[in-house]
Amino acid sequence: MSTVRVVCQQLAPRLGETEHNRNLGARAINDAAMLGAQVVVLPELMQSGYVFKDRQEAFELSEALDGPTLSLWKSLAAELDIIIVGGFCERLDDGQVANSAALVEPEGRLTVYRKAHLWNREKLIFTPGTAPPPVVQTAVGRIAMVICYDLELPEWVRLPALAGAELLCAPVNWPDAPRPASERPGEIVRVQANAAVNRMFIAACDRHGEERGIDWVGGSVIVDADGYPQAGGNAHRHEQRLVADLPLAQARDKYISAHNHVHQDRRPGLYLPSP
Amino acid sequence: MSTVRVVCQQLAPRLGETEHNRNLGARAINDAAMLGAQVVVLPELMQSGYVFKDRQEAFELSEALDGPTLSLWKSLAAELDIIIVGGFCERLDDGQVANSAALVEPEGRLTVYRKAHLWNREKLIFTPGTAPPPVVQTAVGRIAMVICYDLELPEWVRLPALAGAELLCAPVNWPDAPRPASERPGEIVRVQANAAVNRMFIAACDRHGEERGIDWVGGSVIVDADGYPQAGGNAHRHEQRLVADLPLAQARDKYISAHNHVHQDRRPGLYLPSP
């Protein structure tokens, strides 16, 4: 079965240093292409940094879809024949901003997803998305995006899976928090579960580099359709590059036993909470 | 915060030896009570064994709600002042059977849940349940039940959580399957994720003891509301007894940050798959 090379580049964007972040991202995209990556995933809000004081600060650092970061990603995708997924602070109308992810294809198509489930103070800053993750038929397979806390809502991850996504790319900024010393971070565990119950590959790209007192799990991971890590999967608070060759077509077969299909076994008529 | 002592008894029921299984279960319930358990969880189909040839064989081994196993559990619950959760092969009308779990309280109340998502050849044998897991207000907290493959459907686990369950007891028979040697079994990983995204405690009680060529993960686990194991959590293909003291009231607080409540953050209006 043919495989698709997917790379996660766990980097340290700097809050407000958009030019630095653009250069850092470009270097990472080039490095991934040198390794033969067909898909490269960058962290959430790679373009701007994360820990904004308020909406005004985020707005000043945001860019529109024809802004310099997305324009650069488009050029690099075409030049290097690589699919780029990364997070950016999207400028909306009326001073609003979204926590968005872009999927940029070599042919020039740009697909944007806006985070629908906002984490903590993001609720004071970003306008949440209202559209489910689009599933993009790319040259290498069907790819969708979600962002960070979206992964904690299994109903949300289900949607692109039901719509045929083979690879879910998730730019994340996982804030670090206490956990038992011997345990894999729970954020990674939830990625594993999301993958397995949908038989879908997931590439989650975290960040490192403290911002305004907040540090990060550094938990980038690429999991297969059974939910087991193929790369990463531990907390690593430094730069890291994950490389995995994924047989994406496996995600089209949802059977896990002679009689069990992970999607057809759903009984949605029973899943309505009692009022 | 006060805690509730929960014990999982990973045992080896024998197919068709209902008297043996009754005695084995009674011994395990007594042992748990001696340890001060307030809740004891036994495996799926503890009363009958699992690998039935066909529906007829299952029917012959099934029992009704006034049968000898449930009658014994009622006596033991009253005598030992303990809540018992365990799986049994339930006799229905017209030669039908259900893969069911009983929750028996010291006061004599019996609550039954019928597995709604059937695994593999179970589809040829059992009539699936159509009712969501009931949430029982017991003397020690709100308890619900699901059975084995039900845990692979996060929408299903969500229902008792939304209905206020603090502890989900899951009798399971997890068939063993290949996995990467260094990895925790995926069945346990999914239990962890289900717990964390709902901030609900889960006690999953697996079995051991080969039946007709099928062996088991032996992966019993008790996880906290953050999704981390408090007992068990590895494959152990022998008898084992897990003991955990759980602060169940923690499950009533669904906040995981100043602005995030794991249930109120859901956006069910967006969770409808496109047609």
Side-chain angles (χ1 to χ4, degrees):
Chain A
M1 189 178 276
S2 74
T3 58
V4 175
R5 180 158 292 185
V6 177
V7 167
C8 285
Q9 292 280 28
Q10 179 172 300
L11 304 167
R14 291 187 196 151
L15 182 67
E17 299 187 26
T18 52
E19 189 176 341
H20 169 86
N21 295 341
R22 241 185 333 273
N23 292 336
L24 183 67
R27 190 203 74 195
I29 293 163
N30 268 290
D31 286 354
M34 293 281 284
L35 288 168
Q38 292 154 282
V39 180
V40 57
V41 188
L42 305 174
E44 179 181 6
L45 293 173
M46 172 69 209
Q47 161 264 347
S48 57
Y50 181 89
V51 189
F52 304 115
K53 271 201 306 280
D54 53 26
R55 176 175 301 198
Q56 181 58 34
E57 185 182 34
F59 187 79
E60 286 162 11
L61 294 168
S62 66
E63 64 176 74
L65 301 191
D66 60 355
T69 301
L70 267 58
S71 298
L72 176 63
W73 290 357
K74 279 188 183 179
S75 302
L76 290 171
E79 178 192 332
L80 303 168
D81 192 25
I82 193 170
I83 295 167
I84 302 167
V85 176
F88 70 106
C89 185
E90 183 183 359
R91 180 165 300 195
L92 306 176
D93 294 336
D94 304 323
Q96 294 186 82
V97 283
N99 183 337
S100 297
L103 187 155
V104 182
E105 290 169 276
E107 300 74 14
R109 179 166 52 169
L110 166 67
T111 306
V112 171
Y113 164 73
R114 293 174 183 156
K115 188 175 186 177
H117 302 88
L118 299 177
W119 175 254
N120 211 349
R121 293 191 72 259
E122 292 176 32
K123 294 191 182 187
L124 311 178
I125 294 168
F126 297 109
T127 302
T130 56
V135 177
V136 183
Q137 177 71 63
T138 74
V140 302
R142 293 194 287 265
I143 303 180
M145 300 169 276
V146 297
I147 301 173
C148 206
Y149 184 53
D150 284 328
L151 289 163
E152 310 292 319
L153 288 298
E155 301 94 331
W156 195 241
V157 176
R158 193 68 109 183
L159 294 181
L162 288 173
E166 296 156 9
L167 171 65
L168 184 67
C169 295
V172 307
N173 281 185
W174 282 327
D176 205 18
R179 62 179 169 273
S182 59
E183 290 291 327
R184 176 175 277 167
E187 292 84 355
I188 298 172
V189 167
R190 267 99 69 191
V191 167
Q192 294 183 256
N194 278 316
V197 301
N198 288 296
R199 286 201 53 71
M200 172 174 69
F201 294 84
I202 304 183
C205 186
D206 200 3
R207 62 167 292 171
H208 73 107
E210 186 184 312
E211 265 185 26
R212 291 181 173 162
I214 293 192
D215 214 333
W216 319 92
V217 173
S220 298
V221 66
I222 302 176
V223 303
D224 65 21
D226 295 319
Y228 293 113
Q230 297 301 301
N234 296 298
H236 180 82
R237 290 161 148 210
H238 306 280
E239 187 160 314
Q240 66 173 336
R241 176 193 300 127
L242 307 183
V243 183
D245 294 323
L246 305 178
L248 291 189
Q250 282 184 0
R252 292 179 208 159
D253 178 5
K254 303 298 187 190
Y255 277 95
I256 54 171
S257 83
H259 297 274
N260 292 96
H261 180 289
V262 293
H263 286 161
Q264 288 168 13
D265 281 344
R266 296 175 70 242
R267 302 179 67 187
L270 301 181
Y271 298 162
L272 306 168
S274 50
Chain B
M1 190 177 278
S2 74
T3 59
V4 176
R5 180 159 291 187
V6 178
V7 168
C8 285
Q9 292 281 27
Q10 180 172 300
L11 303 167
R14 291 187 196 153
L15 182 67
E17 300 187 26
T18 52
E19 189 176 342
H20 169 86
N21 295 341
R22 241 184 333 272
N23 293 336
L24 183 66
R27 191 203 74 194
I29 293 164
N30 267 290
D31 285 355
M34 292 281 283
L35 287 169
Q38 293 155 283
V39 180
V40 58
V41 188
L42 304 174
E44 179 181 7
L45 293 172
M46 173 69 208
Q47 161 264 348
S48 57
Y50 180 90
V51 189
F52 304 115
K53 271 199 305 281
D54 53 25
R55 177 176 300 197
Q56 182 58 32
E57 184 180 36
F59 186 78
E60 284 162 14
L61 295 168
S62 66
E63 64 175 73
L65 301 191
D66 59 355
T69 301
L70 266 57
S71 297
L72 176 61
W73 291 357
K74 278 188 183 180
S75 301
L76 291 170
E79 179 193 331
L80 302 168
D81 193 24
I82 192 170
I83 295 167
I84 301 167
V85 177
F88 69 107
C89 185
E90 184 183 359
R91 181 166 298 194
L92 305 177
D93 294 337
D94 303 324
Q96 294 186 82
V97 284
N99 183 337
S100 297
L103 188 155
V104 182
E105 291 169 276
E107 299 74 14
R109 179 168 51 169
L110 167 66
T111 306
V112 172
Y113 164 74
R114 295 174 182 156
K115 188 176 185 176
H117 302 87
L118 299 177
W119 175 253
N120 210 350
R121 292 191 73 259
E122 292 176 32
K123 294 191 182 187
L124 311 177
I125 294 168
F126 297 110
T127 302
T130 56
V135 177
V136 183
Q137 176 71 64
T138 75
V140 303
R142 293 192 287 264
I143 302 180
M145 299 170 277
V146 296
I147 302 173
C148 206
Y149 185 52
D150 284 329
L151 288 164
E152 310 294 319
L153 288 298
E155 301 94 331
W156 196 241
V157 176
R158 192 69 108 183
L159 293 180
L162 288 173
E166 295 155 10
L167 171 65
L168 184 67
C169 295
V172 307
N173 281 186
W174 282 326
D176 205 18
R179 60 178 171 274
S182 58
E183 289 291 326
R184 176 175 278 166
E187 293 83 356
I188 298 172
V189 167
R190 268 98 69 191
V191 167
Q192 293 184 257
N194 278 316
V197 302
N198 287 298
R199 286 202 52 72
M200 173 174 68
F201 294 83
I202 304 182
C205 186
D206 200 2
R207 61 167 293 171
H208 72 108
E210 185 182 314
E211 265 185 27
R212 291 180 171 164
I214 294 192
D215 214 332
W216 318 92
V217 172
S220 298
V221 66
I222 302 175
V223 304
D224 65 21
D226 295 320
Y228 293 112
Q230 296 302 300
N234 296 299
H236 180 81
R237 291 160 146 211
H238 306 280
E239 188 161 313
Q240 65 173 337
R241 177 192 300 127
L242 308 183
V243 183
D245 294 322
L246 304 179
L248 292 189
Q250 282 183 1
R252 292 180 208 158
D253 177 5
K254 303 297 186 190
Y255 278 95
I256 53 171
S257 83
H259 297 275
N260 292 97
H261 179 288
V262 293
H263 286 162
Q264 289 168 13
D265 280 344
R266 296 174 71 242
R267 302 179 67 186
L270 301 181
Y271 298 162
L272 306 170
S274 51

